[in-house]
Amino acid sequence: MSEADPVPAPASSAPEASVLDALNATGSNGTDALNATAKFVATPEGTALAYGSLVFMALLPIFFGALRSVSCSKSKNAADMPETITSRDAARFPIIASCTLFGLYLFFKVFSQEYINLLLSVYFFVLGVLALSHTMSPLMASVFPTSFPNKQYQLLFIQGSGESREEIVNYEFDTKNMVCLLISSVVGVWYLLKKHWIANNLFGLAFALNGVELLHLNNVSTGCILLGGLFVYDVFWVFGTNVMVTVAKSFEAPIKLVFPQDLLEKGLEASNFAMLGLGDIVIPGIFIALLLRFDVLNDFGPVVLTSVVMKTFEKLVQQEFLKPVEDQLDPLIAEVLRMRR
């Protein structure tokens, strides 16, 4: 080989050259290409903040919704009347929820996700404004001064005439409610235009609180049927298939609480979210609200029913586990244990 002959490039240089060309083709020395393939890894602090915030937000509608369900059960206003869930409703609920979930999954697979979410955004905008307005009403009633001119209004729809008249809608509201509706509409427009996670959470918390307040179980057995059925529902659709996760990620609606895991790095513009579905808040919440109403109805303290359950469990443990052990102990020690109980 003469000195003028070119030296052949190594075989491995061709792939390396193509990689370098792809990186140099971007406008920022390959940063865009690397970011496109990089997967976000949350820091321990970001993860703890996100999941701790989700737990705190989940407790808020359960606590305040349960308290408001007590006054709601005594209300005579048609707008505040609760919806009672019977054992038959509880047994059918997992089946209806499964059909709805799978139907949404098929819709997202067949039709354009963009148009479906546009329709759902308008629908949940209306529901969210009403739910947030209803949630804010008691707070606004205490904020406004007594000198505020608060006028009463009534929205009444009647079907028929004469003796065959039938009320379709009978809703009473006042000026404070209209102010709440205006503020909620501003939040609704913010959510509709920006889909910001804070606006999503405001609507989600309002939905959850109203659900705990207005959905009432008629007895404990109904709650057990509902929780048991939804346990099987969750196990099948979450762990057995990818249907629940697919719908949750495709469904752009305030049906879940979200909190960014990269909030510390990106601030309010963070985009990597941890999520918690509203069903995981409302369903246990309505059972807790039932227990609270039971305590109030029987003039007990708000923790009496829990104490009764724990005392029953304690006696069960003593009879089934401690008593056989005591029979094998020294009589003096066994007597001391009985005296301490």
Side-chain angles (χ1 to χ4, degrees):
M1 180 184 296
S2 63
E3 295 180 358
D5 293 336
V7 179
S12 61
S13 63
E16 293 174 359
S18 63
V19 173
L20 291 175
D21 291 341
L23 294 177
N24 292 330
T26 62
S28 55
N29 296 326
T31 304
D32 296 341
L34 290 175
N35 289 340
T37 58
K39 184 178 180 181
F40 174 78
V41 179
T43 62
E45 295 82 5
T47 302
L49 177 62
Y51 286 101
S53 299
L54 286 178
V55 171
F56 176 73
M57 287 191 294
L59 293 176
L60 289 178
I62 294 177
F63 179 80
F64 290 104
L67 291 177
R68 290 175 59 164
S69 73
V70 176
S71 57
C72 176
S73 61
K74 302 175 182 178
S75 175
K76 296 181 179 180
N77 188 357
D80 296 329
M81 290 298 291
E83 182 73 23
T84 302
I85 301 175
T86 64
S87 57
R88 184 178 180 183
D89 297 329
R92 292 187 300 181
F93 188 82
I95 300 174
I96 297 174
S98 298
C99 295
T100 304
L101 178 66
F102 191 65
L104 287 172
Y105 176 78
L106 294 179
F107 265 101
F108 282 114
K109 289 295 183 181
V110 174
F111 299 102
S112 173
Q113 180 177 330
E114 179 182 355
Y115 294 113
I116 296 175
N117 282 322
L118 179 61
L119 179 62
L120 291 174
S121 295
V122 175
Y123 175 69
F124 278 97
F125 163 78
V126 177
L127 291 183
V129 168
L130 296 177
L132 187 59
S133 176
H134 182 266
T135 302
M136 294 172 56
S137 294
L139 177 63
M140 286 299 177
S142 59
V143 169
F144 282 101
T146 54
S147 59
F148 181 80
N150 190 33
K151 297 182 179 180
Q152 300 292 325
Y153 303 92
Q154 184 177 16
L155 184 63
L156 182 62
F157 285 98
I158 298 177
Q159 180 180 7
S161 61
E163 297 181 356
S164 61
R165 294 176 59 180
E166 180 183 359
E167 287 187 4
I168 305 298
V169 176
N170 186 2
Y171 185 74
E172 298 178 358
F173 59 98
D174 53 26
T175 308
K176 296 176 182 178
N177 297 135
M178 296 181 66
V179 174
C180 294
L181 188 65
L182 178 62
I183 298 173
S184 302
S185 299
V186 173
V187 177
V189 173
W190 180 28
Y191 170 77
L192 201 61
L193 297 179
K194 298 296 184 181
K195 293 293 193 300
H196 199 276
W197 60 273
I198 295 180
N200 174 89
N201 286 348
L202 289 175
F203 275 173
L205 289 171
F207 284 140
L209 192 147
N210 280 277
V212 175
E213 176 186 358
L214 299 175
L215 292 176
H216 289 190
L217 298 170
N218 60 357
N219 52 52
V220 175
S221 63
T222 301
C224 294
I225 294 172
L226 182 63
L227 292 175
L230 290 178
F231 172 75
V232 178
Y233 165 87
D234 268 347
V235 169
F236 178 77
W237 290 113
V238 176
F239 300 103
T241 68
N242 67 337
V243 172
M244 178 76 78
V245 177
T246 301
V247 172
K249 290 183 177 179
S250 305
F251 203 80
E252 293 183 3
I255 59 169
K256 54 185 178 291
L257 299 180
V258 297
F259 199 90
Q261 301 182 65
D262 51 348
L263 179 68
L264 300 177
E265 292 83 8
K266 298 182 180 179
L268 296 180
E269 299 302 321
S271 57
N272 192 277
F273 296 102
M275 69 177 72
L276 177 65
L278 296 186
D280 297 324
I281 302 173
V282 174
I283 301 302
I286 61 177
F287 192 84
I288 294 174
L290 170 67
L291 302 184
L292 178 62
R293 292 194 302 274
F294 175 85
D295 286 337
V296 173
L297 182 64
N298 292 276
D299 295 328
F300 294 152
V303 295
V304 167
L305 184 58
T306 303
S307 302
V308 170
V309 173
M310 294 303 296
K311 196 67 178 177
T312 304
F313 180 74
E314 180 185 354
K315 290 182 177 180
L316 180 65
V317 171
Q318 290 175 355
Q319 292 176 359
E320 299 296 331
F321 296 98
L322 295 184
K323 194 174 184 307
V325 174
E326 289 177 359
D327 295 339
Q328 300 178 6
L329 293 175
D330 182 87
L332 181 60
I333 298 177
E335 184 64 27
V336 171
L337 290 176
R338 293 191 190 95
M339 291 175 61
R340 293 188 63 180
R341 291 205 300 270

